[in-house]
Amino acid sequence: MTDATPDFDAVVVGAGFAGMHALKSLRDTLGLKVRVYEAGDSVGGTWYWNRYPGARCDSDAYIYCFTWDKPLLQEWEWSERYPEQPEILRYLEHVAERHDLKRDMQFNTRVTGAEFDETNTLWTVHTDKGDTVTARFLIAAVGSLSTTNLPRFKGLETFKGRWYHTSRFPRGGVDFTGKRVAVVGTGATAVQAIPEIAQQAKQLTVFQRTANYCVPARNGKVDPEVTAARKADYAGIIDRLRGSFFGFEHSFIPKSVLEVSDEEREREFDRMWDTGGFAFWLANYQDMFFDQKANDLCADYLKRKIRKTVNDPAVAEKLIPKGYAYGTKRQPLDTNYFETFNKDTVLLVDAATDGSIEEITEQGIRAGGKDYAFDIIVFATGFDAMTGPLKALNLKGRGGRTLDQQWADGPHSYLGISVAGFPNLFTITGPQSPSVLSNMPVSIEQHVEWITNCIDAIRKSGKTSIEATPEAQEQWVAHVNEVVNGTLMPGANSWYMSANIPGKPRAFLPYLCPEGVGGYRRKCDEVAAHGYEGFVLA
Ligand code: NAP
């Protein structure tokens, strides 16, 4: 190790919620020299890129924001329960302005690679704009769902119409009026977009590979008295979120659904259904994620709702999820999703019954031997989740080893925040942390606070590096897998299980902490309190 002085104390990759908070914290709390690189031309991350019709948050807005700016929690007025993408982006722009974040951000710049320099204990970071800079710490704030998955459909290049992926929608939107439109996919994104597109399009055809259990979002204006009460209780709310299971004000019903009477169960299900949002998913009976029989009762309720809502029984049958347990794929929240299939102008093409997509043709899509003609195709086909954005950074750790090599059979991290062999790299909401199984801002803030304290401790101790030990990492990986194997989650072909990308090794990507995000926070704090147990500080 030498005393080589880096260009920056820290380089942060990404300017979404995570990168913005990391910059604020490292620069304004620790006084570090920080540079943020961002591929977009402004802040926002997810909310910068995902401009598809109907894009809005699925967490209530009062908890989908930064909690470290206490005056802003009081000042900011959200227009509805789940604001749309432009409003969230406006909020993030406002935060950037208010805290003068952009002066340390370089936009329109993608990090193309970084190597760890073992001699000088520095990261050398390269960008597509020709920058090469050095930094002591490298903070990946690249998001969990930011690497677009565009399946390699044969013939896409021959299509004569226009096509878009939802995560790269053009600024200003797309006018679907009078158009024949296809939407490929029925995940959380498509469930938001389909009802909106159907209102404009002359004809909308939805290509479904796997049907989804959807629950109403129940968006709308929030009663001003409720908002005032929340503002008066923000300290309590923050406390509850931090100690909660999923970063929401939700807790499981501490009973087995199998023990209660039919009347009680139905009453509780109705209550959660009427509440809307994630209540049905994250505040249901405690055995729902673990016991197939318990899960079947929840699933059955949602299936009955589909049959009641969709007029054509054949279409309803196609929309009924099959082959996986409720809640083991991400719960989409909907506004008139199932109702949309009652429109004469909307057609459902289901892979199981009508045949799957064979190719894209000049005119449209061929599926199940049949040709469908379109002016516009919208791919709502998701992301190479969690590991994808990190691998895309082309990092080289000790001995020039890449994440691709290190993660050949799935992610290996310690606490989801660091990777053995990659010293001084921190992954905000990285694989094997609660991340996508929580209300993201809660997990982002927890990681940023932990990383800030960690870097502070390293500097105060006169050390220059921190690195997870392979032993601690492998214990963590085993723990993450053991916990999830006790649930129904591995049974689904979900992106949580890496199953959406052909060839991606099947592995559970986030971490389902048995004690929730509160328990995970305690674990991370204990590691720090014990002198960064499981890490080597040098
Ligand atoms: P997704 O959940 O991965 O859904 C992608 C859809 O495309 C699925 O229906 C999938 O079918 C289908 N698909 C993928 N490859 C295909 C292929 N080769 N042929 C046919 N169909 C194919 O992606 P997403 O809807 O973009 O959502 C991803 C995540 O983003 C969500 O789970 C959520 O965490 C987040 N999100 C959040 C919000 C919010 O908070 N407001 C909104 C939207 C999304 P299979 O199911 O069979 O794989």
Side-chain angles (χ1 to χ4, degrees):
M1 186 185 3
T2 74
D3 288 332
T5 309
D7 299 318
F8 297 99
D9 296 312
V11 159
V12 175
V13 190
F17 264 95
M20 291 173 68
H21 186 200
L23 169 61
K24 171 71 188 165
S25 186
L26 297 177
R27 185 191 72 184
D28 295 353
T29 308
L30 295 189
L32 301 192
K33 189 176 176 198
V34 183
R35 163 66 50 88
V36 178
Y37 291 112
E38 164 58 51
D41 68 11
S42 193
V43 296
T46 284
W47 301 103
Y48 173 93
W49 295 106
N50 286 270
R51 296 165 189 261
Y52 62 85
R56 47 168 31 97
C57 57
D58 278 347
S59 301
D60 290 60
Y62 78 99
I63 56 168
Y64 197 78
C65 51
F66 290 119
T67 64
W68 46 266
D69 186 333
K70 303 282 187 271
L72 190 58
L73 287 175
Q74 297 301 322
E75 289 162 30
W76 191 265
E77 298 289 342
W78 296 104
S79 69
E80 50 188 349
R81 183 173 176 185
Y82 310 102
E84 280 195 282
Q85 172 269 333
E87 189 172 340
I88 302 172
L89 193 55
R90 238 181 358 261
Y91 165 80
L92 292 170
E93 285 283 355
H94 177 75
V95 172
E97 172 86 7
R98 187 178 163 97
H99 294 280
D100 197 12
L101 297 181
K102 288 192 182 177
R103 76 176 142 94
D104 294 304
M105 294 177 164
Q106 185 174 318
F107 296 108
N108 299 305
T109 305
R110 187 174 285 282
V111 168
T112 51
E115 307 92 49
F116 186 68
D117 170 351
E118 295 183 48
T119 314
N120 294 305
T121 321
L122 298 174
W123 280 95
T124 305
V125 181
H126 311 280
T127 78
D128 63 354
K129 290 291 177 295
D131 311 90
T132 292
V133 298
T134 55
R136 183 72 74 207
F137 299 99
L138 181 59
I139 321 281
V142 288
S144 309
L145 296 158
S146 52
T147 300
T148 295
N149 171 38
L150 181 67
R152 290 191 188 157
F153 290 115
K154 186 178 150 205
L156 179 58
E157 66 293 344
T158 65
F159 180 55
K160 293 266 197 282
R162 286 175 291 149
W163 65 265
Y164 306 95
H165 191 283
T166 44
S167 72
R168 293 292 180 272
F169 236 62
R171 227 175 260 231
V174 173
D175 185 6
F176 294 102
T177 315
K179 305 284 190 230
R180 297 162 305 166
V181 183
V183 170
V184 179
T186 52
T189 296
V191 165
Q192 290 186 332
I194 284 166
E196 298 287 327
I197 296 174
Q199 285 184 39
Q200 282 184 25
K202 183 165 85 180
Q203 169 74 41
L204 171 64
T205 306
V206 175
F207 290 85
Q208 169 182 277
R209 188 165 72 176
T210 309
N212 243 314
Y213 293 97
C214 303
V215 165
R218 306 222 184 276
N219 190 29
K221 299 278 173 222
V222 179
D223 182 339
E225 280 184 25
V226 171
T227 299
R230 285 174 176 162
K231 288 194 176 192
D233 183 33
Y234 250 124
I237 290 170
I238 294 168
D239 226 38
R240 290 196 290 281
L241 296 179
R242 289 174 168 230
S244 68
F245 209 94
F246 291 113
F248 293 87
E249 292 202 273
H250 286 313
S251 322
F252 289 119
I253 301 170
K255 282 184 190 174
S256 164
V257 66
L258 302 168
E259 284 165 7
V260 299
S261 67
D262 292 354
E263 294 72 33
E264 179 177 340
R265 184 181 68 233
E266 203 67 7
R267 203 170 49 243
E268 284 297 307
F269 283 174
D270 283 347
R271 181 185 56 74
M272 291 182 273
W273 174 265
D274 292 342
T275 303
F278 286 141
F280 201 92
W281 190 34
L282 305 179
N284 213 310
Y285 289 93
Q286 63 182 14
D287 47 352
M288 187 204 78
F289 279 109
F290 302 95
D291 185 307
Q292 188 62 55
K293 281 202 182 106
N295 191 282
D296 287 345
L297 289 170
C298 304
D300 174 65
Y301 179 88
L302 297 177
K303 290 176 185 177
R304 278 187 274 137
K305 290 288 185 192
I306 298 172
R307 293 198 175 98
K308 220 162 139 185
T309 310
V310 179
N311 297 339
D312 181 339
V315 176
E317 224 37 56
K318 292 182 194 178
L319 288 166
I320 292 203
K322 295 161 197 81
Y324 67 98
Y326 166 63
T328 56
K329 293 179 81 135
R330 162 54 153 80
Q331 166 78 76
L333 297 186
D334 85 277
T335 303
N336 297 327
Y337 176 66
F338 292 118
E339 289 82 347
T340 298
F341 292 93
N342 292 333
K343 284 181 176 243
D344 294 338
T345 52
V346 176
L347 176 71
L348 179 65
V349 178
D350 173 45
T353 46
D354 305 310
S356 46
I357 297 177
E358 287 149 26
E359 63 178 308
I360 311 289
T361 63
E362 282 188 18
Q363 302 304 324
I365 294 179
R366 183 169 303 139
K370 195 168 164 198
D371 283 309
Y372 301 84
F374 300 112
D375 304 305
I376 301 174
I377 302 176
V378 176
F379 293 102
T381 45
F383 303 90
D384 182 354
M386 302 199 76
T387 49
L390 290 167
K391 285 186 177 181
L393 292 176
N394 295 313
L395 305 181
K396 289 190 179 142
R398 281 194 192 283
R401 205 168 151 79
T402 65
L403 277 182
D404 261 334
Q405 292 166 325
Q406 191 106 333
W407 288 359
D409 62 349
H412 292 252
S413 84
Y414 180 40
L415 301 172
I417 207 166
S418 62
V419 184
F422 293 74
N424 291 0
L425 166 71
F426 294 103
T427 54
I428 301 178
T429 63
Q432 297 168 336
S433 75
S435 56
V436 293
L437 289 180
S438 71
N439 180 29
M440 288 301 282
V442 175
S443 288
I444 287 169
E445 291 192 0
Q446 185 246 329
H447 268 186
V448 172
E449 286 167 21
W450 193 91
I451 293 165
T452 304
N453 291 335
C454 175
I455 292 178
D456 193 31
I458 295 168
R459 287 164 62 92
K460 284 185 175 145
S461 68
K463 307 256 163 85
T464 52
S465 84
I466 180 162
E467 180 179 1
T469 66
E471 296 74 27
Q473 176 168 281
E474 288 323 298
Q475 274 176 22
W476 185 253
V477 174
H479 168 65
V480 167
N481 291 327
E482 188 189 334
V483 173
V484 79
N485 286 337
T487 74
L488 299 171
M489 303 213 54
N493 287 326
S494 62
W495 62 257
Y496 293 147
M497 290 303 304
S498 315
N500 63 327
I501 307 287
K504 191 167 174 173
R506 193 173 179 99
F508 185 61
L509 296 173
Y511 170 48
L512 184 62
C513 181
E515 294 161 72
V517 299
Y520 171 76
R521 181 186 294 267
R522 280 194 299 280
K523 167 71 185 167
C524 292
D525 290 348
E526 274 165 31
V527 164
H530 294 147
Y532 293 93
E533 202 172 24
F535 289 97
V536 173
L537 275 69

